[in-house]
């Protein structure tokens, strides 16, 4: 299949820029598995500093960040509390059970965001041997299936206080934490402060081809490195890919505001289109979720026609709902192309 002209399928659909490719080509490298790759070490130091944690660890993917954090903080038979839409429940191949023997305890949040009261009720009471024990609370910033919703700082502080008070560890899946930072003006280290562990993805809004960085206390990161090795994630001259991450942190964070502006423009255009249902209040960052309210066209049919007839790619989540995600390879003009394509299809 040809590459779509306008790819709004996900913010993972970015190609490394020329500047990033130059950084990759010129990267200083060493043996990462032995802690000797200067570029990996630099990236880890940058992320530890950014997130206000003692140490950080470069990993191949965000999924591995989640799975390693759950493994280090959890134990077989214990529970991790997460929103019912959370990534580790739906899109990590059953990893919590397969790799750490963990149970998941889903909470019914509002667009991926739940309350301190909900956490208090989800935590298992102590002293009852027949119950699983609650070990970890995990929150997703921003919430992916919540439409890119930003957890407010006070919300994070409130749920973390309850969890810590009952002896749980708090983990943040920060796949899109930089989007939350740019949208809210709250610093990454402030969002991270109530959490014991936190990670950011390099291969989403930041535009790298690969990688994610997990941060936390030094002892946690030491144990995380052991798991990384066990899972086969330790690398050799990984500075080649870490250089993209260093470049992205220096060049691609502030520009996320453009992605948010493009998402807003797309949302406003869609909200004004007959046959589309969209609540503008739900568009906070780079994601736009909308419903197709057309008797003759389902969401999957629309996505197929958009791609084959107009070179515009979006993702259908079910029969009605479509997700469009902006990123650094989507320009303002592309939003006009996407809107015109949708209007043409609905008019036909
Ligand atoms: C919220 C969230 N967490 C985790 C991940 C996994 O990241 P990766 O694709 O780097 O494994 C994703 C990827 O889409 C995500 O959206």
């Amino acid at each position: 299949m040809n590459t779509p002209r306008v790819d709004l399928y996900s913010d993972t659909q970015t190609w490394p820029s020329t500047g990033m490719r130059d950084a990759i080509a010129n990267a200083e490298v060493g043996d990462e598995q032995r802690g000797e790759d200067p570029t990996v070490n630099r990236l880890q130091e940058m992320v530890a500093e950014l997130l206000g944690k003692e140490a950080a660890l470069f990993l191949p993917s965000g999924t591995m960040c989640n799975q390693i954090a759950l493994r280090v903080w959890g134990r077989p038979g214990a529970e991790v509390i997460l929103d019912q839409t959370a990534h580790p429940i739906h899109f990590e191949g059953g990893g919590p059970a397969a790799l750490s023997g963990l149970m998941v305890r889903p909470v019914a949040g509002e667009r991926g965001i739940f309350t301190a009261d909900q956490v208090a009720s989800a935590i298992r009471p102590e002293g009852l041997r027949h119950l699983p024990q609650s070990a970890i609370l995990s929150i997703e910033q921003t919430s992916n299936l919540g439409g890119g919703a930003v957890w407010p700082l006070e919300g994070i502080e409130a749920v973390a206080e309850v969890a810590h008070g009952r002896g749980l560890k708090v983990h943040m899946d920060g796949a899109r934490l930089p989007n939350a930072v740019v949208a809210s003006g709250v610093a990454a280290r402030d969002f991270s402060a109530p959490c014991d562990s936190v990670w950011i993805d390099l291969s989403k809004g930041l535009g790298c081809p690969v990688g994610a960085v997990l941060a936390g206390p030094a002892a946690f990161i030491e144990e995380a490195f052991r798991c990384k090795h066990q899972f086969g994630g330790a690398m050799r001259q990984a500075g080649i890919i870490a250089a993209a991450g260093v470049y992205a942190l220096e060049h691609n964070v502030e520009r996320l505001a453009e992605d948010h502006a493009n998402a807003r423009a797309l949302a406003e255009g869609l909200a004004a289109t007959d046959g589309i249902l969209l609540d503008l209040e739900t568009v906070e960052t780079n994601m736009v979720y909308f419903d197709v309210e057309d008797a003759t066209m389902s969401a999957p049919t629309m996505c197929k026609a958009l791609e084959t007839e107009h070179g515009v790619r979006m993702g259908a989540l079910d029969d009605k709902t479509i997700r469009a995600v902006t990123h650094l390879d989507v320009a303002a003009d592309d939003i006009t192309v996407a809107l015109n394509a949708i209007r043409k299809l609905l008019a036909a």
Side-chain angles (χ1 to χ4, degrees):
M1 193 186 299
N2 291 333
T3 306
R5 245 181 330 137
V6 179
D7 199 340
L8 294 157
Y9 182 76
S10 166
D11 47 8
T12 54
Q13 303 305 302
T14 57
W15 269 226
S17 62
T18 309
M20 186 175 279
R21 285 172 190 267
D22 285 347
I24 291 170
N26 294 316
E28 255 191 277
V29 296
D31 188 340
E32 187 264 352
Q33 195 233 69
R34 296 171 55 84
E36 291 169 359
D37 188 300
T39 311
V40 171
N41 291 344
R42 170 142 186 254
L43 174 65
Q44 292 175 163
E45 280 158 22
M46 285 170 84
V47 175
E49 168 69 22
L50 179 76
L51 302 179
K53 299 297 179 201
E54 275 175 5
L57 181 63
F58 183 46
L59 289 166
S61 70
T63 299
M64 204 186 273
C65 290
N66 275 339
Q67 293 305 325
I68 286 182
L70 295 182
R71 173 120 167 171
V72 174
W73 294 137
R75 58 193 175 276
E79 277 183 340
V80 48
I81 299 171
L82 328 90
D83 185 75
Q84 60 188 2
T85 61
H87 201 271
I89 296 184
H90 298 285
F91 307 120
E92 298 186 11
L99 303 173
S100 305
L102 282 165
M103 310 258 290
V104 294
R105 180 116 160 111
V107 170
E110 186 74 36
R111 300 182 60 235
I113 294 167
F114 44 81
T115 64
D117 284 347
Q118 285 178 292
V119 173
S121 330
I123 297 174
R124 305 287 187 171
E126 276 176 31
L128 296 170
R129 290 195 199 112
H130 60 297
L131 300 184
Q133 290 182 317
S134 311
I136 309 162
L137 172 72
S138 180
I139 63 177
E140 197 172 292
Q141 180 72 301
T142 66
S143 166
N144 179 346
L145 288 182
V150 178
W151 267 86
L153 181 55
E154 318 77 65
I156 298 174
E157 287 168 346
V159 294
E161 192 181 335
V162 171
H164 284 144
R166 306 274 296 270
L168 279 71
K169 294 294 182 190
V170 178
H171 172 68
M172 179 187 282
D173 169 339
R176 296 183 181 81
L177 173 61
N179 294 85
V181 168
V182 169
S184 65
V186 175
R189 56 168 50 225
D190 292 339
F191 275 135
S192 309
C195 306
D196 300 290
S197 53
V198 49
W199 62 271
I200 55 167
D201 218 321
L202 301 171
S203 66
K204 298 210 160 60
L206 298 185
C208 298
V210 64
V213 188
L214 174 66
F220 164 83
I221 291 298
E222 191 53 36
E223 202 45 39
F225 205 117
R226 186 186 311 282
C227 290
K228 169 178 171 165
H229 203 95
Q230 287 172 343
F231 290 165
M235 296 172 270
R236 297 299 180 183
Q237 287 70 35
I240 290 288
I241 46 177
V246 171
Y247 179 89
L249 289 175
E250 286 171 348
H251 297 89
N252 292 349
V253 178
E254 295 305 320
R255 63 147 309 283
L256 290 170
E258 289 171 39
D259 299 344
H260 299 172
N262 286 336
R264 168 103 338 229
L266 177 64
E268 284 173 358
L270 287 168
T273 301
D274 284 343
I276 299 291
L277 199 66
L278 183 149
D279 176 0
L280 282 172
E281 296 259 306
T282 62
V283 182
E284 297 179 49
T285 51
N286 66 330
M287 293 190 173
V288 180
Y289 281 65
F290 60 95
D291 285 352
V292 185
E293 295 277 304
D294 186 280
T296 60
M297 199 173 331
S298 67
T301 315
M302 177 177 273
C303 285
K304 189 153 187 234
L306 275 175
E307 187 163 351
T308 53
E309 294 169 31
H310 298 276
V312 174
R313 193 154 75 123
M314 297 184 179
L317 298 183
D318 53 35
D319 242 29
K320 263 188 166 345
T321 309
I322 293 182
R323 185 186 84 158
V325 190
T326 56
H327 51 75
L328 60 65
D329 285 339
V330 174
D333 288 352
D334 295 330
I335 300 300
T336 313
V337 172
L339 280 172
N340 287 342
I342 287 182
R343 287 175 183 152
K344 266 194 198 138
L345 286 177
L346 285 169

